[in-house]
Amino acid sequence: METKPGETLGRSAALAWLVARIRQRTGRTMVAIDGVDGAGKTTFADELATELTDSGLTVIRISFDDFLNPAEIRHRRGRTSPDGFVADTYDYERFIDDVLDPLGCEGCGRYRAKSYDFASETPLNPPWQVAPDNAVVIVDGMFLHRNRLRNARGRKIWDLSVWLDVPFEVSVHRLAERDGSPDDPDDERLARYVEGQKLYIGRINPAERADLVVDNTD
């Protein structure tokens, strides 16, 4: 595993750092882009994918938001529970079976990119796809440094992982502009989400587990 930089990098420097290290690797490479809701994970992951594709690499893009649990599981601890937001939002078993195991360095390469459609609250079983042996798999989503995504020895399963460091004041404002949600991190309507993400940060310290910390405020 590459040694992480000694300091938080800006966006451009972080992309260059990642591209340089990914290009050195052989076989399939698993990359995680983690951060709070509104940190810019999807945009950063898409920019990284573009840089890698332009350099001649094959990229597979996966969003953890396409592996949600059904509503009855997501809200089984109550619709305001921060613990429930962390523990029950994602279907880790399906994600491991359909993405992590087959796309890992020793996997068969036969994967599914989605298991759930949030807009219609519908489970999905799309056709299996086959990844080439040298593909770069970029996954964006929350909670990607949780212990449930570590191997039997307790080590991170990602070849490279990123934590996007963004203050809640900024991330919540971005979400408000995007979907009309409250623009105050202390608004009680956001307590499930903001407090849940604070629990994750406090318990896991994803910035310490990540290979790269990126200041994605601007």
Side-chain angles (χ1 to χ4, degrees):
M1 179 61 65
E2 297 284 350
T3 302
K4 69 169 65 179
E7 60 184 16
T8 299
L9 297 183
R11 188 185 194 86
S12 297
L15 288 168
W17 190 92
L18 287 165
V19 170
R21 278 147 187 82
I22 292 169
R23 286 185 58 80
Q24 295 171 5
R25 301 182 59 87
T26 58
R28 282 193 291 271
T29 300
M30 302 287 289
V31 182
I33 311 299
D34 191 5
V36 300
D37 201 9
K41 300 179 296 296
T42 300
T43 300
F44 186 91
D46 286 345
E47 289 182 1
L48 176 60
T50 298
E51 296 252 3
L52 293 171
T53 300
D54 289 347
S55 70
L57 297 178
T58 299
V59 176
I60 296 171
R61 280 284 287 112
I62 304 286
S63 175
F64 202 21
D65 283 346
D66 290 324
F67 287 84
L68 296 175
N69 275 317
E72 61 269 22
I73 296 178
R74 297 200 308 271
H75 300 134
R76 61 186 170 186
R77 304 179 201 225
R79 289 182 172 271
T80 61
S81 170
D83 268 311
F85 182 58
V86 179
D88 300 327
T89 294
Y90 295 106
D91 186 344
Y92 288 90
E93 285 71 25
R94 182 74 183 270
F95 181 66
I96 291 168
D97 288 345
D98 286 8
V99 176
L100 294 188
D101 282 350
L103 292 179
C105 61
E106 298 180 357
C108 65
R110 185 171 175 264
Y111 73 99
R112 281 174 168 158
K114 298 182 179 183
S115 74
Y116 201 81
D117 179 67
F118 174 68
S120 61
E121 294 285 4
T122 304
L124 301 175
N125 286 294
W128 292 97
Q129 303 178 67
V130 179
D133 291 339
N134 61 345
V136 181
V137 183
I138 302 176
V139 180
D140 69 270
M142 292 185 290
F143 313 144
L144 294 180
H145 289 93
R146 281 193 68 191
N147 290 334
R148 295 187 72 176
L149 299 179
R150 295 172 82 83
N151 66 21
R153 297 182 179 180
R155 296 177 181 174
K156 188 176 57 176
I157 49 84
W158 310 107
D159 297 303
L160 288 164
S161 68
V162 176
W163 173 253
L164 298 183
D165 189 23
V166 177
F168 280 104
E169 291 77 10
V170 174
S171 63
V172 167
H173 179 69
R174 290 176 181 170
L175 294 174
E177 289 188 326
R178 187 182 74 189
D179 56 27
S181 57
D183 199 1
D184 179 1
D186 295 325
D187 191 297
E188 62 180 10
R189 291 170 290 178
L190 299 180
R192 167 180 168 88
Y193 311 105
V194 172
E195 295 306 317
Q197 291 169 96
K198 287 180 178 179
L199 287 176
Y200 168 65
I201 293 169
R203 292 169 179 170
I204 300 300
N205 193 358
E208 181 60 31
R209 293 188 176 187
D211 298 296
L212 179 64
V213 179
V214 180
D215 181 354
N216 207 41
T217 302
D218 295 330

